[in-house]
Amino acid sequence: MSQKGTCDIALIGLAVMGENLALNIASRGYKIAVYNRTASVTDAFVASRGKQPNVVGCHSLEDLVANLKSPRKIMMMVKAGPAVDDLIAKLTPMLSKGDVLIDGGNTFPADTDRRTREVEAQGLLYVGTGVSGGEEGALKGPSMMPGGSPAAWPMVKEIFQAIAAKVGPKGDIPCCDWVGPRGAGNYVKMVHNGIEYGDMQLICEAYSLLKHAAGLTNDQLAVVFDEWNRGELDSYLIEITRDIFTVKDPDSGDFMVDRILDTAGAKGTGKWMSQLALDLGVPSTLVTEAVYARCLSAIQAERVRASKVLAGPDASAVKVDPKVFTAQVRQALYASKIASYAQGFVQLAAAAKENDWKLDYRSIAMLWRGGCIIRAQFLERIAEAYDAHPDLENLMLAPYFTKALADAQAAWRQVIATAVAIGQPVPALMAALSYYDGYRQARLPANLLQAQRDYFGAHTYARTDKPGTFHTEWIELRRPVSSSQASR
Ligand code: 2AM
């Protein structure tokens, strides 16, 4: 049905995220034109959940474009990658100066950089926006992280902020604000996902320790996570973890979590963050360890074989007091989370510098305060830290977090020592503590590393006692070593 020039926005791609986002937009009083490449999907949607005056189904891109008010706003919710380029190529000839194309997928930031330039070169505007919160978030209020053409923001702001999650004492602060030019919004979404990887891995390690070292049952774990969710760890991921420990398989009556195969999947945003961290030369070790942990989980059959061959310690010799240990794990989790978020914000700052973005870290923390998967109380503290010091070098240096780390560190070390003693892998907890310990060293052993590099490759080194660049003829100056020398 033609509704020429009456729709406020269009949406392409009616998979579950697209459908729910369209319903969210319609529910806020906006008229939305929808299109899906496979027409039967559009028909099924407008005959069921989308059967309402605010939703207009379209069978062609021409029809979709014709139904829009000018300047037109078209949101693509299709598979990230070539599908987006394909749609841009089809749509741009149908659009007019000032129209806005929006990509709401999990797009690699450099792709949005390129597309913003290409689309702007045709007189149009482009937005690449992160949308987080899964299916439910898309329907009820996601966290949105838009970037792209700055001139597009005033045009999409009202609809975006209307559909986004709301936080604050009055529930009126939208979890959606302009992030920055070109791929900035997708970059922030990628870091959100990377932090999510770290949070999930840390929670899994805490679970493993509470189970293997403290012997907690699933019922007890549910109670522990319920308690944790009422304090500094209060967050969506802790809350759903609590719920998971209460769910039983309707068929067997066993706990569902115990029936799930231990091989984790991944869609790749964590890997992107690790790769880009390496490109920038910043140590985002938590997300990287979390990605590797998923890789190790994936070789399940090989692990089962190795478990029968490789020796571990006698875990039964290690005794912990379950109550004391549970409290220590809580502290270790919190401290690790601080280190993880510190890494995420450091990476954002490095990316901002490289790409000439001006990011508002306080605002980013608040975007993640609601709607998204990493939503947590704790993000308020991060927002406060950046509010007090917008140029904060590292979150761990904000007084609130410096104190939290100091208070937690003894427990953190104890938990990792216990993990080592019982032979349970805790790569993310360890990466977090290593980052903390590395960052707080005035002097690291890289002096020796520089000596090695200079020895074998004449890479030169700087000195502590005078300026300049130096090289040593190590082979000429080296002396024979005898064991008697060491004992002297
Ligand atoms: P489909 O139903 O026709 O497959 C998630 O895959 C969504 O992206 C689906 O709505 C899918 O449409 C859409 N999609 C994938 N590739 C596309 C393309 N090249 N052009 C348009 N839509 C595409």
Side-chain angles (χ1 to χ4, degrees):
M1 180 183 30
S2 177
Q3 305 246 359
K4 262 192 169 180
T6 63
C7 294
D8 300 295
I9 189 165
L11 187 142
I12 300 173
L14 295 171
V16 64
M17 286 293 284
E19 263 197 27
N20 283 357
L21 214 56
L23 292 173
N24 183 353
I25 294 170
S27 76
R28 315 280 165 176
Y30 298 103
K31 195 162 170 182
I32 181 165
V34 296
Y35 166 87
N36 193 74
R37 179 180 57 178
T38 308
S40 56
V41 175
T42 312
D43 292 341
F45 177 60
V46 295
S48 56
R49 299 168 75 212
K51 190 171 180 179
Q52 43 180 298
N54 271 351
V55 177
V56 181
C58 305
H59 281 163
S60 70
L61 290 173
E62 287 79 4
D63 194 20
L64 185 88
V65 169
N67 283 339
L68 283 171
K69 286 181 196 162
S70 197
R72 304 177 185 93
K73 303 168 197 78
I74 303 178
M75 184 153 189
M76 298 173 283
M77 293 297 296
V78 300
K79 209 167 149 44
V84 178
D85 288 308
D86 182 40
L87 272 172
I88 292 173
K90 285 186 178 131
L91 287 165
T92 45
M94 303 179 201
L95 301 177
S96 314
K97 194 170 180 328
D99 288 350
V100 190
L101 277 175
I102 305 154
D103 170 21
N106 261 333
T107 291
F108 191 64
D111 286 342
T112 299
D113 283 354
R114 172 178 57 76
R115 289 171 187 148
T116 303
R117 294 181 210 278
E118 287 170 3
V119 169
E120 283 180 350
Q122 304 196 50
L124 307 173
L125 301 173
Y126 195 76
V127 173
T129 183
V131 179
S132 176
E135 294 171 29
E136 200 194 341
L139 183 65
K140 296 181 179 162
S143 159
M144 295 182 71
M145 296 148 253
S149 313
W153 177 231
M155 299 166 63
V156 298
K157 182 177 176 182
E158 187 194 304
I159 297 184
F160 276 24
Q161 292 195 335
I163 64 171
K166 309 286 186 303
V167 293
K170 294 193 217 129
D172 58 353
I173 304 169
C175 293
C176 172
D177 209 341
W178 187 248
V179 173
R182 302 180 295 282
N186 289 117
Y187 204 101
V188 167
K189 173 62 176 18
M190 176 193 74
V191 169
H192 162 282
N193 284 29
I195 287 175
E196 175 187 318
Y197 270 60
D199 274 356
M200 291 169 75
Q201 177 63 25
L202 286 169
I203 292 172
C204 288
E205 291 174 14
Y207 156 57
S208 150
L209 291 177
L210 294 178
K211 181 173 166 160
H212 293 111
L216 264 53
T217 63
N218 290 326
D219 284 330
Q220 290 169 323
L221 284 162
V223 173
V224 165
F225 277 83
D226 187 51
E227 279 167 19
W228 287 2
N229 199 40
R230 281 184 252 145
E232 71 289 354
L233 291 171
D234 173 357
S235 60
Y236 173 69
L237 285 168
I238 295 285
E239 180 189 323
I240 66 166
T241 305
R242 171 201 65 196
D243 293 349
I244 287 167
F245 288 122
T246 66
V247 174
K248 295 208 171 159
D249 174 13
D251 296 331
S252 63
D254 296 337
F255 281 100
M256 195 60 105
V257 71
D258 295 329
R259 289 285 149 264
I260 297 178
L261 192 68
D262 54 332
T263 60
K267 283 195 179 160
T269 37
K271 184 175 82 176
W272 287 350
M273 178 170 164
S274 297
Q275 288 171 327
L276 294 187
L278 285 171
D279 289 344
L280 289 167
V282 294
S284 293
T285 54
L286 270 110
V287 60
T288 308
E289 287 294 355
V291 171
Y292 287 152
R294 292 192 192 195
C295 299
L296 198 56
S297 83
I299 52 164
Q300 192 254 352
E302 195 174 328
R303 284 187 287 109
V304 170
R305 288 196 300 277
S307 71
K308 301 192 174 88
V309 179
L310 300 175
D314 176 10
S316 66
V318 180
K319 300 270 179 280
V320 302
D321 175 328
K323 259 210 150 56
V324 172
F325 188 68
T326 302
Q328 288 174 332
V329 172
R330 173 184 184 154
Q331 288 185 287
L333 188 53
Y334 185 51
S336 300
K337 208 172 139 100
I338 296 169
S340 175
Y341 282 63
Q343 291 185 350
F345 278 89
V346 164
Q347 181 164 345
L348 282 179
K353 195 167 168 208
E354 176 162 288
N355 292 286
D356 199 20
W357 301 328
K358 299 230 171 338
L359 298 182
D360 177 342
Y361 304 105
R362 183 198 169 278
S363 163
I364 291 168
M366 288 310 288
L367 296 185
W368 296 341
R369 181 62 194 84
C372 64
I373 306 297
I374 65 169
R375 63 184 181 259
Q377 274 292 336
F378 164 75
L379 285 154
E380 302 262 354
R381 306 288 88 75
I382 297 181
E384 285 162 11
Y386 282 108
D387 208 17
H389 301 282
D391 296 323
L392 190 63
E393 276 179 295
N394 189 302
L395 209 49
M396 299 193 298
L397 298 177
Y400 179 86
F401 291 116
T402 303
K403 180 172 186 310
L405 288 161
D407 291 347
Q409 63 144 345
W412 199 5
R413 294 178 198 286
Q414 188 55 50
V415 165
I416 289 174
T418 303
V420 172
I422 65 168
Q424 281 299 318
V426 286
L429 286 167
M430 279 183 174
L433 182 60
S434 296
Y435 178 67
Y436 176 67
D437 279 337
Y439 188 70
R440 62 178 194 82
Q441 296 303 315
R443 188 160 168 83
L444 285 168
N447 51 332
L448 178 59
L449 200 120
Q450 284 300 81
Q452 291 165 335
R453 295 179 69 235
D454 190 55
Y455 189 123
F456 66 68
H459 292 298
T460 73
Y461 54 87
R463 293 181 60 111
T464 58
D465 52 356
K466 47 188 169 187
T469 304
F470 298 88
H471 168 63
T472 293
E473 292 302 333
W474 298 94
I475 293 177
E476 274 174 33
L477 292 173
R478 71 182 174 182
R479 289 180 292 142
V481 178
S482 69
S483 50
S484 57
Q485 218 177 339
S487 60
R488 252 190 264 132

